[in-house]
Amino acid sequence: MMMLVASRLWGARCGKSARRVLSGGTSARNHAGSVRALQRKPQNNSEAPQRLQVSRLVPTRHSIDHAQLRAVLSQRIGDGVVLRLIGKWLNAGVMERGAVSYPESGTPQGGVISPMLANIFLHAVLDVWFENEVKPRLRGRAELVRFADDFVIAFTREDDARRVYNVLPKRFEKYGLMLHPEKTRLVPFQRPSYLNRDDVTTKGSEQGTFDLLGFTFYWARSKRGYWVIQLRTARDRFSRALHKLSDWCRRNRHEAVHEQWSRICKALQGHYAYFGVMGNEGRLLALRHATYRVWRNWLNRRSQRARVTWAKMKQLIGRYPLPRLPPPRSLRALANPLR
């Protein structure tokens, strides 16, 4: 029987959100398979990550073979009633433009159970295979971090990274899956201090960066001068948030100013709640300042006579201030929010 490793199965479950895969749990055992596992301090140079494989699957819910999915589920579920119920869910037709079709692959689009089925399938295809077959054959240490169909694998040896990089497409092709060609790459991600301990001018930007769950990961110096992995809002997520805000202000520019201010504050607070991690204050401030510019721009276009100068905008800000940045929290603090 295939046992699900609960601490490593992130996504599509209560308590396993995208934010928790960044912070992990409250102990080393609970944050196995999370980003916290990559930030574990190595005991020597040979244990420090040197290469990262960043990959994303082409949407898996559209390409999962039903027979292979049933085989994976039968290894875990012994109740035939539950298996038949899932089978009925998979065989349910999909209506598109008034026509009903019965696809032989994929899970129901928009179905509440689809993310969970895809997560269980990927757990068998990738997680269990990596732990039981790949890691024993590697010469160095490796860690897998996966959330839904996004995953990162850290290696301490470059030759191990290239071997897995070459075999992964064959593994997924066996199950009818495919890696995204533009989002699958090898990234050098060695701690800069290990490259040249005597060069204090070494910059973390000389190392590769990668995006995961809306954050860009990169090396930077802490206030004490140590090299640490820092997180900042990814460019595409920053642009997307600003575009959504501008589009909302355009569509609701004729609403009362108080109503606009209330909705904008809620949007910023939600953004702060997810992206408010230590080291990301610059991107949060940039979004806050850009929000003022976007809001003023659409207030100016409420009518031909509208003239909201920056002097008037300053008065408006005094009455309707946008929420301030929350105190930055480290990933360790996020793992235990009750503190």
Side-chain angles (χ1 to χ4, degrees):
M1 178 181 293
M2 179 194 65
M3 298 300 295
L4 295 178
V5 185
S7 61
R8 295 179 179 268
L9 191 55
W10 301 91
R13 293 197 305 148
C14 181
K16 298 293 182 179
S17 63
R19 189 58 181 269
R20 290 304 299 272
V21 79
L22 298 173
S23 59
T26 57
S27 64
R29 181 179 180 180
N30 291 335
H31 66 241
S34 68
V35 173
R36 287 280 299 280
L38 302 182
Q39 295 182 314
R40 189 183 69 181
K41 185 177 180 180
Q43 298 179 356
N44 50 62
N45 293 7
S46 61
E47 293 187 1
Q50 293 186 358
R51 291 275 171 175
L52 288 176
Q53 177 172 346
V54 184
S55 303
R56 184 171 189 177
L57 295 171
V58 173
T60 55
R61 284 175 286 179
H62 305 288
S63 55
I64 295 178
D65 183 75
H66 288 180
Q68 293 178 335
L69 177 58
R70 288 191 181 96
V72 170
L73 293 175
S74 63
Q75 296 176 6
R76 178 66 181 176
I77 303 174
D79 191 341
V81 176
V82 176
L83 291 176
R84 286 193 296 271
L85 181 61
I86 295 177
K88 291 180 179 179
W89 204 305
L90 294 175
N91 294 329
V94 178
M95 179 175 291
E96 295 180 351
R97 298 179 180 179
V100 180
S101 60
Y102 298 90
E104 297 180 358
S105 62
T107 54
Q109 180 69 16
V112 294
I113 200 175
S114 297
M116 182 178 296
L117 293 179
N119 204 24
I120 294 175
F121 188 70
L122 285 178
H123 181 74
V125 174
L126 179 60
D127 302 350
V128 176
W129 169 75
F130 183 79
E131 289 292 328
N132 297 340
E133 298 186 28
V134 175
K135 291 183 74 172
R137 293 179 171 86
L138 299 180
R139 301 177 63 184
R141 188 171 67 90
E143 292 287 345
L144 168 66
V145 177
R146 182 181 68 84
F147 181 84
D149 56 358
D150 289 336
F151 65 93
V152 173
I153 309 177
F155 301 90
T156 58
R157 296 179 60 92
E158 183 177 351
D159 54 347
D160 289 340
R162 297 195 178 277
R163 287 171 56 196
V164 176
Y165 182 80
N166 293 329
V167 77
L168 263 181
K170 302 176 184 178
R171 172 67 179 179
F172 286 117
E173 186 178 357
K174 178 181 177 181
Y175 291 89
L177 304 177
M178 183 176 63
L179 292 172
H180 199 293
E182 298 179 359
K183 298 183 179 181
T184 302
R185 58 195 176 98
L186 288 177
V187 180
F189 206 71
Q190 187 176 358
R191 189 185 298 263
S193 59
Y194 292 137
L195 296 175
N196 191 346
R197 290 178 176 271
D198 299 328
D199 186 6
V200 296
T201 62
T202 302
K203 296 182 179 179
S205 59
E206 297 177 2
Q207 289 295 296
T209 63
F210 68 95
D211 293 347
L212 179 67
L213 302 178
F215 287 95
T216 297
F217 292 73
Y218 65 100
W219 286 103
R221 288 192 181 274
S222 65
K223 293 182 179 180
R224 297 184 179 181
Y226 299 106
W227 286 107
V228 295
I229 299 177
Q230 292 279 16
L231 284 68
R232 64 169 177 258
T233 308
R235 289 185 178 181
D236 57 341
R237 289 299 183 92
F238 184 90
S239 301
R240 187 189 309 175
L242 197 57
H243 177 75
K244 287 184 177 180
L245 182 65
S246 178
D247 184 65
W248 186 92
C249 289
R250 177 186 62 82
R251 290 183 288 105
N252 297 271
R253 62 184 182 274
H254 296 296
E255 297 291 335
V257 175
H258 181 272
E259 296 294 333
Q260 295 185 39
W261 169 76
S262 177
R263 179 62 179 84
I264 292 174
C265 286
K266 291 179 180 179
L268 287 181
Q269 289 171 349
H271 187 89
Y272 294 165
Y274 182 78
F275 290 99
V277 298
M278 191 170 294
N280 196 31
E281 297 89 344
R283 287 294 177 94
L284 298 183
L285 279 174
L287 180 65
R288 189 170 184 264
H289 295 325
T291 301
Y292 280 125
R293 294 196 300 270
V294 169
W295 193 17
R296 172 181 174 268
N297 177 58
W298 288 111
L299 288 176
N300 263 326
R301 301 181 67 176
R302 301 179 78 179
S303 67
Q304 295 181 352
R305 298 182 179 180
R307 292 294 182 270
V308 182
T309 63
W310 277 111
K312 294 182 179 179
M313 191 65 185
K314 188 175 180 180
Q315 298 177 357
L316 184 67
I317 293 172
R319 184 174 181 179
Y320 300 108
L322 296 183
R324 295 182 177 273
L325 300 187
R329 296 178 293 173
S330 64
L331 295 184
R332 184 183 299 274
L334 293 173
N336 190 358
L338 298 180
R339 288 183 177 179

